[in-house]
Amino acid sequence: MSIDPRRPHASYLDFWRERHVCTLTTLRPDGTPHSVPVGVTYDPEAGLARVITGKSTSKARNVLAAGAEGGGARVSVCQYAPGGRWATLEGLATVVADPEAVADAERRYTERYGRTPRENPNRIVIEIRLTRAMGRA
């Protein structure tokens, strides 16, 4: 089911507020997919999903390798729960290292996952400018 990522229905948004491990899929420079478990926060008002990570991780390197041309790297994040509930967000990702953006992403992560992320002086945010949402929640 297609959903407007900036105007999701209440049950879809509620599902993204629950604590779930998600997957992030990026593309390697050779075009093959790289999928890893991550925590994701969803901000429909801004049209963004955010993933905090270290700047030397494969996911960050894959986004950086795609460059900012064309708006960023094509990625998706997905979560699933028993009972057939699932949600996918797709969009164009960029790496953001601005300390205020990182602190905001950490705050959002803490709110969703109920724990403060470990200290990481090399933390960045993968910001995904959303282009599509789908799911059944």
Side-chain angles (χ1 to χ4, degrees), residues 4-25:
D4 181 343
R6 293 190 69 110
R7 293 174 194 81
H9 53 79
S11 63
Y12 190 81
L13 186 55
D14 288 345
F15 186 46
W16 277 103
R17 289 180 176 144
E18 294 172 11
R19 183 175 187 204
H20 294 284
V21 173
C22 303
T23 58
L24 167 69
T25 301

Side-chain angles (χ1 to χ4, degrees), residues 17-18 20 25 32 36 53 67 69 73-74 93 99 117 122 128 134:
R17 289 180 176 144
E18 294 172 11
H20 294 284
T25 301
T32 59
V36 293
T53 189
E69 272 186 43
R74 293 202 168 276
N122 296 311
I128 306 164
M134 21 184 184

Side-chain angles (χ1 to χ4, degrees), residues 105-121:
E106 290 171 332
R107 179 189 58 76
R108 291 170 186 276
Y109 178 96
T110 299
E111 186 177 293
R112 180 173 188 199
Y113 290 97
R115 68 176 193 82
T116 302
R118 66 175 172 74
E119 192 67 32
N120 181 351

Side-chain angles (χ1 to χ4, degrees), residues 24 26-27 48-69 71-75 91-99 101-102 105 122-129:
L24 167 69
T26 60
L27 296 177
L48 294 173
R50 295 175 180 91
V51 175
I52 56 174
T53 189
K55 67 181 176 184
S56 64
T57 63
S58 293
K59 56 189 158 284
R61 287 194 316 267
N62 290 342
V63 171
L64 287 168
E69 272 186 43
R74 293 202 168 276
V75 303
L92 296 167
T94 55
V95 168
V96 178
D98 172 72
V102 171
N122 296 311
R123 180 164 288 132
I124 54 92
V125 181
I126 296 175
E127 285 191 350
I128 306 164
R129 194 168 14 89

Side-chain angles (χ1 to χ4, degrees), residues 25-44:
T25 301
T26 60
L27 296 177
R28 295 180 183 100
D30 68 3
T32 59
H34 174 260
S35 297
V36 293
V38 294
V40 176
T41 60
Y42 175 31
D43 180 358

